[in-house]
Amino acid sequence: MIVPMSVVLGLSAVLFGIGLFGFLARRNIILMFVSIEVMLNAVNLSLAGFSWHLGDPRGQILALFVIAVAAAEAGIGLGLVIALNRNKPGAGVADLTQLKW
Amino acid sequence: MNGVSASDLVLLLPELILVGTCLVLLLAARPIQANRAVPLALVGTVLAAVAAAVASGWLLSRGAATGFGGMFRVDGYSQFFKLLITATLVLTALFSVRSIEDEKLPRAEYFVLLLLASTGMMFAASALDLLTLYLGVELMTLCAYILVGIRVERPKSNEAAIKYFLLGSFASALLLYGISLTYGVTGATDFGGIAQALSEGDGENPILLLGIVLVAAGLAFKIAAVPFHAWAPDAYEGASTPVAAFLAAGFKAAGLAALGRVCLIAFHTESQLLSMALTGLAALSIIVGSLMALSQTDMKRLLAYSSIAHAGYALLGLIAGTSEGTSATMTYAFFYVFMTLGTFGVVIALGERGQKLDGYQGLAVQRPVTAALMLLFLLSLTGIPPTAGFVAKFVVILSAVRAGHTTLAVVAVVCSVVSAFIYMRVAVLMYMKEPEEPAPSRIPMAISAALGLAALVTLIGGLFPGGLTSWAVAP
């Protein structure tokens, strides 16, 4: 392997951390959603890396499924955001205060 | 791994029936939407659920089998949960008649989402591989996001769906990272392979521990165990009541099924770590769920916190990591599903009035039968004999004591007393207050039938406590 496994694993951990931080720090629904996508892609990277390292195709197959599910998730998420925007134009996470405790 | 054969597909029969019904409903969506008189979609869904239950039973009678290269398992454990999931589907579909009418929901699509979510739950119950587990769990959650937000014109529903979606996707990412790390360390995704690699491994590996904790956290989110519970009260309050009932009952059953198999088969060599994590989840869920429910005035929120506490009780059985403990959790899941669906059913039957706690004032005078049913479900949720709730609580607490977690068992019993205040508050309102609101409108036939079924199981389960033991067998 050209790139050592530890580097792949480290890169995916850093990416996952960036996504995690973005999800917790952002207050815009779309950007929070993008952060989740970053986390999913970090997982895909680690899956592909492990798969290469182990010489076993299962990890890459899993990554393909993750991509498909992430696409479905994106469709649903954006649909929900559009539905929210029809009722409350320009709403962010800070405006979601009707349901509490 | 060999290719997929016809005998593999037969194992999928219950799921195929549900998916086939989905396709028919989608194709016939327009006539179904146009025909207001006959609840075609409802009848189709109930028939499909019954057929799936029969198919599950038939598969079980052929003996346990594994298909799709060791990814999909049909055994007593999976079929037990599949029967439970089909029962949830039938009761939810029957409960939905009024809200579909009143809230003008797209009826074909609504039932398609219910059916698909149930298919995902069945997959999760049968999963013998992290890939099938992930796909099953995602199928049910993706459908649930839409079901929660299906009342598109209501801001409350939008908010609940967005919150649930963001937290749910976040939890899925954690689950996936856990799956990836587990795969990297063990080189396997099937539960048997993982268990074998772990037993041969040299023990402590921080990456593996992180992977196991992340997988457990991702599944704990699905059953809304504290500290992964924040979505549940909001999602239940924002969703229409039948959807909330479906989430409370079905998600718990499927999540517990998946968690049980993962703990018992894949990670059984790491039982110490798992037992520690599950003890924390169970104790926190029971305490936080019971205490937070005390101050609620919205009935769905109250039931959401109650369901969080019940998730904690159900986890008590899994802590031991033995087959007796798992079978205790199965018993708990079974009775919990029926008593929770029953309670939600009464809330649905009362319509707008049932949403608020004050709406229950004087119900016993106006609707004695409905009030009596509610009392039965509340007693069962508290865990008072001779209801099924007592049997359920008894077996899980016994299993915790046997595993040596006496403190946890004491906490569970104390919180059970606290929860009596919550449930009896409703009973006091029903029986000791004068009615302030006009009597609720007549209850539709479908809802009465579903309520009767839930009440029957709750009563019979309490009167014949040994009835389930031969069915609730761990994998």
Side-chain angles (χ1 to χ4, degrees):
Chain A
M1 196 175 178
I2 311 152
V3 185
M5 189 56 216
S6 55
V7 175
V8 176
L9 202 56
L11 176 62
S12 104
V14 169
L15 257 184
F16 196 83
I18 291 173
L20 193 72
F21 176 78
F23 180 78
L24 298 174
R26 291 287 177 182
R27 284 291 160 267
N28 178 308
I29 298 171
I30 302 278
L31 285 178
M32 285 173 84
F33 184 51
V34 170
S35 303
I36 291 171
E37 293 293 313
V38 172
M39 288 165 77
L40 289 180
N41 281 315
V43 171
N44 282 342
L45 184 65
S46 75
L47 278 172
F50 280 132
S51 177
W52 183 257
H53 179 69
L54 296 162
D56 171 65
R58 248 179 300 188
Q60 297 186 31
I61 296 169
L62 236 162
L64 283 177
F65 274 99
V66 174
I67 292 170
V69 173
E73 213 165 72
I76 291 171
L78 294 177
L80 293 176
V81 172
I82 290 172
L84 177 73
N85 260 284
R86 283 211 183 124
N87 291 326
K88 282 186 182 175
V93 176
D95 303 315
L96 299 178
T97 50
Q98 280 195 40
L99 304 167
K100 269 188 206 163
W101 295 109
Chain B
M1 263 196 234
N2 33 3
V4 177
S5 65
S7 60
D8 282 340
L9 281 178
V10 172
L11 297 181
L12 273 183
L13 193 59
E15 288 83 357
L16 287 176
I17 291 174
L18 294 190
V19 174
T21 316
C22 284
L23 295 178
V24 173
L25 284 180
L26 276 181
L27 286 175
R30 191 174 284 268
I32 285 173
Q33 193 65 37
N35 189 344
R36 299 214 151 268
V38 190
L40 264 182
L42 170 69
V43 174
T45 306
V46 170
L47 284 182
V50 172
V54 171
S56 303
W58 174 69
L59 281 174
L60 182 60
S61 71
R62 290 168 77 232
T66 310
F68 296 96
M71 285 189 152
F72 194 85
R73 174 87 175 149
V74 169
D75 55 14
Y77 182 77
S78 71
Q79 303 314 86
F80 177 88
F81 278 106
K82 283 184 191 179
L83 284 179
L84 196 52
I85 290 160
T86 48
T88 311
L89 176 59
V90 170
L91 292 184
T92 313
L94 291 175
F95 284 148
S96 308
V97 279
R98 188 188 264 164
S99 65
I100 287 181
E101 214 49 61
D102 293 353
E103 287 155 9
K104 306 224 171 5
L105 301 180
R107 37 182 96 188
E109 289 87 337
Y110 178 83
F111 285 108
V112 164
L113 288 169
L114 279 185
L115 283 163
L116 275 181
S118 309
T119 313
M121 291 173 188
M122 288 186 165
F123 244 88
S126 266
L128 204 57
D129 189 291
L130 290 175
L131 174 59
T132 29
L133 178 81
Y134 170 68
L135 288 179
V137 162
E138 279 305 290
L139 181 56
M140 71 180 197
T141 340
L142 289 181
C143 293
Y145 299 147
I146 315 178
L147 279 173
V148 169
I150 202 163
R151 302 188 292 179
V152 274
E153 74 292 347
R154 295 199 185 196
K156 232 182 195 180
S157 180
N158 295 149
E159 176 180 339
I162 295 260
K163 279 183 175 171
Y164 182 25
F165 172 77
L166 286 174
L167 290 176
S169 313
F170 182 70
S172 295
L174 293 184
L175 171 70
L176 263 180
Y177 202 46
I179 289 177
S180 164
L181 292 179
T182 312
Y183 169 67
V185 174
T186 60
T189 52
D190 59 308
F191 294 173
I194 291 172
Q196 201 186 351
L198 288 183
S199 63
E200 288 164 1
D202 46 1
E204 298 295 294
N205 181 339
I207 296 182
L208 177 70
L209 295 188
L210 181 63
I212 294 176
V213 168
L214 285 176
V215 170
L219 291 176
F221 177 88
K222 307 294 171 203
I223 59 168
V226 180
F228 308 103
H229 68 292
W231 62 276
D234 289 349
Y236 290 12
E237 193 188 338
S240 69
T241 321
V243 171
F246 188 67
L247 291 184
F251 268 54
K252 293 269 191 302
L256 284 170
L259 200 58
R261 214 190 271 274
V262 168
C263 292
L264 213 59
I265 299 183
F267 297 144
H268 74 91
T269 51
E270 309 293 318
S271 54
Q272 253 188 333
L273 170 72
L274 274 177
S275 155
M276 228 160 62
L278 291 177
T279 308
L281 284 175
L284 278 175
S285 305
I286 293 174
I287 296 171
V288 174
S290 304
L291 292 182
M292 292 296 290
L294 278 173
S295 60
Q296 301 303 324
T297 54
D298 183 286
M299 200 58 192
K300 278 193 281 184
R301 270 192 114 69
L302 190 154
L303 286 176
Y305 282 109
S306 134
S307 87
I308 290 167
H310 281 282
Y313 286 107
L315 285 175
L316 287 178
L318 291 180
I319 290 170
T322 57
S323 15
E324 290 89 45
T326 311
S327 109
T329 295
M330 290 166 79
T331 310
Y332 199 93
F334 189 89
F335 291 136
Y336 163 78
V337 160
F338 283 98
M339 58 201 191
T340 299
L341 282 174
T343 321
F344 271 105
V346 175
V347 177
I348 294 162
L350 296 181
E352 270 304 306
R353 186 178 160 181
Q355 308 284 321
K356 291 277 163 232
L357 203 57
D358 296 337
Y360 291 82
Q361 283 187 16
L363 191 68
V365 183
Q366 295 168 318
R367 287 264 180 273
V369 180
T370 316
L373 281 178
M374 187 63 166
L375 183 65
L376 170 71
F377 295 129
L378 290 173
L379 288 176
S380 186
L381 285 173
T382 321
I384 292 172
T387 55
F390 169 72
V391 179
K393 267 192 183 150
F394 182 76
V395 287
V396 285
I397 291 176
L398 185 68
S399 135
V401 171
R402 283 207 180 130
H405 295 276
T406 325
T407 328
L408 190 58
V410 172
V411 170
V413 173
V414 169
C415 285
S416 190
V417 175
V418 174
S419 75
F421 282 107
I422 308 159
Y423 301 124
M424 287 314 118
R425 199 159 49 133
V426 184
V428 166
L429 280 177
M430 286 194 306
Y431 280 92
M432 298 183 183
K433 290 273 165 82
E434 288 305 311
E436 285 183 353
E437 289 175 64
S441 56
R442 213 176 60 82
I443 302 170
M445 263 295 282
I447 294 180
S448 320
L451 271 180
L453 183 62
L456 199 67
V457 175
T458 310
L459 257 185
I460 291 181
L463 294 176
F464 304 99
L468 261 187
T469 36
S470 57
W471 295 93
V473 264

